[in-house]
Amino acid sequence: QSVLTQPPSVSGAPGQRVTISCTGSSSNLGAGYDVHWYQQLPGTAPKLLIYANTNRPSGVPDRFSGSKSGTSASLAITGLQAEDEADYYCQSYDSSLSGSGVFGGGTKLTVL
Amino acid sequence: QVQLQESGPGLAKPLETLSLTCTVSGGSINNYYWSWIRQPPGKGLEWIAYIYYSGSTSYNPSLKSRVTISVDTSKNQFSLKLNSVTAADTAVYYCARVERYNWKPRAMDVWGQGTTVTVS
């Protein structure tokens, strides 16, 4: 069981908006640790999508956005495209685990 | 453009020690944290450990008793040793660069392509 909780799957039609939630606790997201999001396309290494809750690295389309409030965070994808079909992971750090890194269980996004 | 490349044996026998190395090219290992992450077949990502270039470390508590992470700044490399491996350690192992922000680790912004390790 992952320290950060994500829905196993979400889906949406092309052009739609989807959101992926990431729920933590008072020892990680609620303790002020930032959340980061990664996209993993089939058969490839993860890629940083959102860092420090809301920031996009250079080259990431603005269709991707992140937010965080209290012990929860969300990744939103607007204007869904077929190429967005991938696994998405949230990640943070946890003070109850001596500051070690933690991942969510991952969410499979299916573009219908 | 910083690139990371994992190297090591693709096959390990049960109870042996697995050793992996990540070579950093196109940039310096200094002033960053460096991490190992693994992904068992068909499963999610599991954070293993990170090390600061100066040597300070943090480990996943569930693996801490079996894992050692180290850094060699002269070779621009960092390494992972995992003792007493079992079939449950079969996974793709990734190395990654971890941003430093306010002297603390933040996001993993550069990843290696991953190396598959099978324990059998």
Side-chain angles (χ1 to χ4, degrees):
Chain A
Q1 190 164 349
S2 302
V3 173
L4 303 178
T5 301
Q6 297 180 235
S9 63
V10 297
S11 62
Q16 283 190 332
R17 177 181 187 270
V18 297
T19 62
I20 298 172
S21 61
C22 176
T23 302
S25 68
S26 59
S27 61
N28 41 68
L29 304 191
Y33 287 99
D34 291 333
V35 66
H36 318 293
W37 292 91
Y38 304 88
Q39 177 193 58
Q40 186 176 34
L41 297 169
T44 70
K47 166 193 165 186
L48 180 63
L49 197 63
I50 297 287
Y51 68 94
N53 309 319
T54 62
N55 300 281
R56 285 186 308 276
S58 174
V60 173
D62 60 6
R63 301 187 296 106
F64 295 90
S65 63
S67 64
K68 179 196 165 197
S69 179
T71 59
S72 295
S74 288
L75 172 71
I77 310 172
T78 58
L80 207 56
Q81 299 180 3
E83 66 210 48
D84 299 332
E85 187 160 293
D87 294 321
Y88 293 84
Y89 295 89
C90 59
Q91 180 259 319
S92 187
Y93 296 88
D94 196 296
S95 61
S96 71
L97 301 174
S98 302
S100 64
V102 290
F103 281 101
T107 299
K108 170 68 178 177
L109 168 62
T110 301
V111 180
L112 301 171
Chain B
Q1 184 96 359
V2 174
Q3 293 184 314
L4 307 183
Q5 179 65 59
E6 305 89 349
S7 59
L11 184 63
K13 289 183 167 50
L15 301 181
E16 285 187 342
T17 295
L18 170 66
S19 295
L20 299 174
T21 296
C22 183
T23 300
V24 180
S25 59
S28 174
I29 204 165
N30 293 335
N31 300 313
Y32 285 94
Y33 291 87
W34 303 91
S35 186
W36 287 98
I37 305 97
R38 70 181 183 179
Q39 185 171 35
K43 295 188 178 181
L45 301 173
E46 180 180 31
W47 184 84
I48 300 173
Y50 71 63
I51 187 166
Y52 194 44
Y53 79 100
S54 61
S56 61
T57 59
S58 179
Y59 294 98
N60 183 328
S62 69
L63 296 170
K64 186 174 183 178
S65 63
R66 299 195 293 130
V67 171
T68 302
I69 189 172
S70 58
V71 64
D72 187 335
T73 55
S74 68
K75 294 182 179 179
N76 240 29
Q77 293 177 335
F78 63 105
S79 299
L80 176 76
K81 289 189 187 300
L82 180 61
N83 301 327
S84 303
V85 297
T86 69
D89 295 311
T90 293
V92 176
Y93 285 75
Y94 296 101
C95 59
R97 187 179 77 172
V98 187
E99 301 176 295
R100 186 192 73 183
Y101 185 75
N102 285 344
W103 301 99
K104 294 183 179 179
R106 198 163 69 168
M108 289 171 271
D109 64 344
V110 181
W111 292 66
Q113 65 184 26
T115 186
T116 299
V117 175
T118 301
V119 179
S120 178

